[in-house]
Amino acid sequence: MDKLDIEWAGRRAGELFALDGYNCTMAVMRALMELAGRDATELLPLAAPFGAGIARAGLTCGALTGAVLALGLLKAPRAYEDHDAKEESYRLCAPVVKGFAEGMGSALCAEITGVDIASKEGRRRFVEEGTLEKKCVPAVELAARLGAEILLQ
């Protein structure tokens, strides 16, 4: 496992999210796909609705979802009729979920951000309080680094 690649994935996801206009899910998914040498262009629309905790619902953080989607695409077994293959997918992603929840204090967007991003008032607070920089960029970077650790094993 190369620490430089892991750090690169975190920085790349953060840049895509904060500077290039990607949502959290898309940024993490693309960074991990790039790390693996794969083009994510055709897959990004799949990730788009998961931003802000799934369509701004504040559910599972989109950054975490992006890491899980990328790992599923890149490393998960393909024989899903097989119970053991499904279990392998869960085993593969479990450390990412655990590490993310521990690192961010939650896996839920609403708990991480502290705002109801679905409401106009929540989006106003999100901007005024600098939540993107204070909470979301670190979440995106963490999810990408955790995903990269699994990807590079």
Side-chain angles (χ1 to χ4, degrees):
M1 169 168 29
D2 185 70
K3 281 198 123 0
L4 291 176
D5 287 334
I6 292 167
E7 291 305 315
W8 176 88
R11 280 192 316 278
R12 178 66 174 143
E15 290 167 0
L16 288 166
F17 178 67
L19 304 176
D20 291 348
Y22 284 65
N23 75 20
C24 46
T25 311
M26 296 165 75
V28 173
M29 185 175 176
R30 179 166 178 181
L32 292 175
M33 297 292 287
E34 286 179 3
L35 181 62
R38 300 270 301 273
D39 181 20
T41 306
E42 293 293 317
L43 300 169
L44 290 177
L46 169 70
F50 289 93
I54 307 174
R56 292 186 174 153
L59 301 172
T60 302
C61 175
L64 176 57
T65 303
V68 170
L69 284 169
L71 290 172
L73 286 164
L74 295 167
K75 296 229 5 166
R78 299 289 181 237
Y80 289 102
E81 312 79 38
D82 177 355
H83 178 74
D84 291 336
K86 286 187 281 191
E87 289 299 319
E88 176 62 14
S89 295
Y90 301 149
R91 186 202 63 72
L92 181 73
C93 292
V96 175
V97 174
K98 183 177 189 241
F100 184 86
E102 288 173 354
M104 295 307 301
S106 178
L108 299 177
C109 176
E111 291 180 4
I112 293 167
T113 63
V115 300
D116 175 8
I117 203 157
S119 73
K120 196 172 191 175
E121 172 63 18
R123 287 191 298 281
R124 183 190 62 73
R125 282 188 49 223
F126 181 88
V127 171
E128 286 179 1
E129 295 172 7
T131 305
L132 183 123
E133 296 83 9
K134 292 177 185 173
K135 302 288 184 162
C136 297
V137 170
V140 164
E141 292 174 347
L142 175 61
R145 287 193 310 271
L146 291 167
E149 287 177 9
I150 300 298
L151 189 59
L152 295 170
Q153 286 180 355

